[in-house]
């Protein structure tokens, strides 16, 4: 139950941010252009990131790929969180391109939000792992 609730939350968050980024792709490109090292890849990243998020949503919805999708989600969130922390340390004051309510968060609040999502991912992975452990048969127990 926990895993499916967490997966639903992750599907919502990734769908919401991906669609917002695609709907405001020009803003996304201009923000990415302002970032050192990423500015050369801005047009590519402006489409790649939301498409990667939507691909992850599809994987999260496929039961056979759910665990792998949760690991990919964990990795993606880690990369985004490292990016946010780096931006905070470097003193970048760029707008968030996540869209809607999420773009109203400060960079510090966004880091905390991502850390909560990372924790949710870890819980979902653990739930998935514990539900896959083979059950001992009664013959093995009494042997």
């Amino acid at each position: 139950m926990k895993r499916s609730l967490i997966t639903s939350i992750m599907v919502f968050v990734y769908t919401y941010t991906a669609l917002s980024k695609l709907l405001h792709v020009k803003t996304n490109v201009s923000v990415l252009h302002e970032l050192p090292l990423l500015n050369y890849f801005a047009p590519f990243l402006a489409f790649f990131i939301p498409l990667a998020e939507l691909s992850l949503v599809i994987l999260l919805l496929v039961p056979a790929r759910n665990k792998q999708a949760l690991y990919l989600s964990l990795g993606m969130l880690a990369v985004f969180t490292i990016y946010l922390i780096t931006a905070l340390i470097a003193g970048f004051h760029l707008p968030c391109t996540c869209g809607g309510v999420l773009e109203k968060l400060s960079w510090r609040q966004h880091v905390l939000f991502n850390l909560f999502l990372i924790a949710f991912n870890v819980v979902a992975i653990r739930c998935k792992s514990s539900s896959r452990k083979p059950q001992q048969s009664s013959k093995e127990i009494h042997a």
Side-chain angles (χ1 to χ4, degrees):
M1 180 67 170
K2 280 187 211 177
R3 180 181 43 83
S4 61
L5 175 63
I6 292 170
T7 299
S8 298
I9 290 168
M10 300 311 297
V11 164
F12 174 76
V13 169
Y14 283 121
T15 303
Y16 178 78
T17 59
L19 293 178
S20 179
K21 288 172 189 170
L22 289 172
L23 289 172
H24 302 99
V25 74
K26 287 183 182 179
T27 304
N28 201 6
V29 170
S30 66
V31 169
L32 290 168
H33 265 299
E34 296 181 42
L35 296 172
L37 303 174
L38 295 182
N39 57 353
Y40 297 109
F41 308 105
F44 171 75
L45 290 173
F47 285 100
F48 177 77
I49 292 171
L51 292 177
E53 291 172 329
L54 290 175
S55 297
L56 186 55
V57 165
I58 292 167
L59 289 174
L60 283 166
L61 293 172
V62 176
R65 296 288 178 229
N66 188 258
K67 188 173 181 180
Q68 294 90 346
L70 288 167
Y71 278 110
L72 287 171
S73 173
L74 185 60
M76 189 179 289
L77 284 167
V79 169
F80 287 159
T81 305
I82 291 167
Y83 160 76
L84 290 169
I85 292 169
T86 303
L88 272 170
I89 292 169
F92 293 133
H93 297 289
L94 299 172
C96 172
T97 59
C98 289
V101 176
L102 295 178
E103 70 184 20
K104 307 288 185 227
L105 297 176
S106 72
W107 286 77
R108 283 186 174 88
Q109 291 169 331
H110 211 107
V111 168
L112 290 174
F113 180 73
N114 279 19
L115 291 174
F116 279 114
L117 292 178
I118 287 171
F120 283 159
N121 255 270
V122 169
V123 168
I125 290 167
R126 288 183 149 210
C127 288
K128 185 81 174 171
S129 295
S130 66
S131 69
R132 293 272 178 148
K133 289 183 182 173
Q135 299 287 331
Q136 287 184 331
S137 70
S138 60
K139 290 179 184 177
E140 291 175 348
I141 294 172
H142 297 293

